[in-house]
Amino acid sequence: MRIIGKYPDIRLRRVRNSDWVRRLVSENNLSANDLILPIFVTEGKNKIQKIKSMEGVYRYSVDKLDQIVNQAVKFKIPMIAIFPHTDNKKKDSKGTEALNENNLVCKSIIKIKNKFKNIGVMCDVALDPYTSHGHDGIIKKKQILNDETIEILEKQSVLQAQMGCDVIAPSDMMDGRVGRIRKILDKNNFQNVKILSYAVKYASNFYGPFRDAVGSRTNLKTNKKSYQMDYRNSNEIFREVALDIKEGADFVMVKPGLPYLDIISKIKDSFKIPVFSYQVSGEYSLIKTGIKNKLINDEAILESLISLKRSGSSAIVTYFALDVLKKIKNFS
Ligand code: PBG
């Protein structure tokens, strides 16, 4: 780009020197429309449990879900994402509980869809909340089996759609699952159920607190590098995304968020489809702890989310969704 003119004719600070002009020239803004709120659900009744590694985030028993969903609706958040904390005794090597029509996710979808008409519900499709080993697929001879896992994921997707789930979000990283899920949803008359593919999901070290929240951390003895992406790479994102779009994904997700802004912007530039990003649990807890210890200002929340938008995210899954909307008027 050619730079026209020079100082003192040009003074870039002129458009920064008061709040009103900064607002006029701002290129990116954040509103409720950009946010997806993750919600953890747990067994039992009358429970709102703290999660030690995620201060300010709770697990709700199904009967208490209203409380948090009400807030999401009040703040006009378009969609929530449900994640189950499954009892260890219900876990097995094949994640059988994923297909139980009375499991936590199914009960939550029914409850929410009955009471709230104008909020989208998204559910992960993957086996890790249900497996005794904490992996997203089934294992044989220490390998995560791709095609055998997809067969379970197909059933899990149809079950969630039957319960009323609006957006099926495969987060398992098996090859070819988006196409198979699209086909089986259509076959069961769920043409309008959307697929948000976690197309670009890295084997990240930032997922720790989430694994505490869903109770898979202690089960998981090995890493997920044989199916989630290598953080040293970006070339393969083009094939991951192109394949998923071809297979029928309506939107794609990049995960984690902040360490992967380059990835989000590359995808946005190359494919004109909605790209979502996931500000994951580790990112949340780092920022939260920094604020609590007065190392950073709480406006860091807004800065991190706007950065994700600036890089090209259409929407962001974030544990800060409610927090930021409550605080946004104080930031300028
Ligand atoms: C599981 C899943 C994970 C997250 C969302 N879905 C963890 C993992 O892959 O181990 C992480 C979200 C977060 O850290 O906030 N399929």
Side-chain angles (χ1 to χ4, degrees):
M1 200 200 313
R2 247 179 74 227
I3 296 173
I4 302 158
K6 62 178 198 307
Y7 169 84
D9 308 329
I10 308 282
R11 286 177 186 269
L12 291 171
R13 289 181 54 191
R14 264 196 293 266
V15 294
R16 290 179 202 149
N17 70 3
S18 40
D19 175 56
W20 63 264
V21 70
R22 287 195 293 272
R23 283 191 284 126
L24 275 180
V25 300
S26 65
E27 296 169 34
N28 293 283
N29 291 289
L30 192 82
S31 78
N33 295 348
D34 303 311
L35 302 170
I36 298 164
L37 175 72
I39 299 176
F40 295 107
V41 275
T42 191
E43 316 269 357
K45 277 212 162 73
N46 204 17
K47 281 192 193 154
I48 299 181
Q49 286 173 344
K50 285 188 174 168
I51 301 164
K52 228 166 134 197
S53 53
M54 297 184 80
E55 206 182 304
V57 178
Y58 302 86
R59 297 188 199 100
Y60 298 81
S61 54
V62 177
D63 61 312
K64 287 282 172 189
L65 270 176
D66 283 18
Q67 245 180 53
I68 179 98
V69 182
N70 252 327
Q71 289 208 54
V73 170
K74 182 175 137 205
F75 282 94
K76 294 207 160 70
I77 290 175
M79 181 159 80
I80 53 170
I82 299 172
F83 294 101
H85 175 270
T86 308
D87 263 357
N88 245 328
K89 48 182 191 302
K90 292 191 177 167
K91 295 183 183 180
D92 61 22
S93 63
K94 292 191 166 161
T96 311
E97 178 67 8
L99 304 184
N100 172 4
E101 58 188 43
N102 272 317
N103 72 20
L104 271 176
V105 167
C106 293
K107 285 194 277 195
S108 306
I109 305 172
I110 291 174
K111 171 103 200 238
I112 295 165
K113 280 282 143 188
N114 263 334
K115 174 132 193 219
F116 303 94
K117 300 295 168 210
N118 203 19
I119 192 161
V121 173
M122 151 185 162
C123 294
D124 261 31
V125 165
L127 300 181
D128 58 306
Y130 309 105
T131 50
S132 42
H133 44 70
H135 278 288
D136 295 36
I138 50 178
I139 306 182
K140 199 171 181 180
K141 295 191 188 136
K142 297 196 176 152
Q143 300 292 319
I144 312 294
L145 301 179
N146 195 85
D147 301 4
E148 292 79 350
T149 297
I150 292 181
E151 280 173 28
I152 307 178
L153 301 180
E154 288 178 315
K155 294 188 182 122
Q156 190 184 15
S157 305
V158 171
L159 178 63
Q160 291 177 353
Q162 281 165 342
M163 299 296 148
C165 177
D166 302 291
V167 176
I168 298 286
S171 66
D172 55 287
M173 288 300 279
M174 298 303 115
D175 286 321
R177 87 284 204 212
V178 171
R180 293 274 298 273
I181 291 173
R182 183 70 271 161
K183 279 208 178 69
I184 197 133
L185 286 175
D186 287 2
K187 210 171 123 198
N188 285 277
N189 274 323
F190 293 117
Q191 286 86 354
N192 284 326
V193 170
K194 300 154 211 358
I195 297 181
L196 165 57
S197 164
Y198 288 78
V200 175
K201 178 171 180 181
Y202 283 89
S204 172
N205 295 289
F206 289 92
Y207 302 150
F210 173 94
R211 291 177 188 165
D212 282 336
V214 300
S216 69
R217 193 180 207 159
T218 46
N219 301 50
L220 193 67
K221 304 287 186 244
T222 52
N223 63 47
K224 298 190 176 183
K225 291 186 181 185
S226 79
Y227 47 108
Q228 299 179 347
M229 284 177 53
D230 186 330
Y231 52 76
R232 291 171 292 196
N233 298 346
S234 65
N235 282 338
E236 64 202 88
I237 63 174
F238 296 101
R239 292 208 292 171
E240 286 285 2
V241 172
L243 282 168
D244 283 4
I245 294 174
K246 222 170 156 184
E247 290 177 30
D250 300 287
F251 345 75
V252 293
M253 179 98 87
V254 175
K255 183 180 169 193
L258 222 45
Y260 296 89
L261 296 180
D262 58 325
I263 303 296
I264 298 166
S265 98
K266 279 181 181 161
I267 296 172
K268 193 67 203 179
D269 286 347
S270 306
F271 303 93
K272 303 298 172 191
I273 91 161
V275 181
F276 293 1
S277 52
Y278 199 139
Q279 182 179 56
V280 300
S281 56
E283 299 175 68
Y284 169 85
S285 294
L286 280 173
I287 296 173
K288 192 83 181 177
T289 313
I291 294 169
K292 189 179 166 200
N293 292 321
K294 299 201 160 55
L295 300 170
I296 57 177
N297 296 331
D298 62 355
E299 196 177 331
I301 299 170
L302 184 63
E303 182 180 344
S304 66
L305 295 171
I306 295 262
S307 299
L308 288 163
K309 284 209 67 188
R310 201 184 58 235
S311 72
S313 307
S314 317
I316 306 157
V317 183
T318 174
Y319 305 95
F320 283 123
L322 282 169
D323 257 24
V324 77
L325 294 175
K326 287 175 190 164
K327 286 181 172 164
I328 210 158
K329 283 182 207 77
N330 307 332
F331 303 142
S332 56

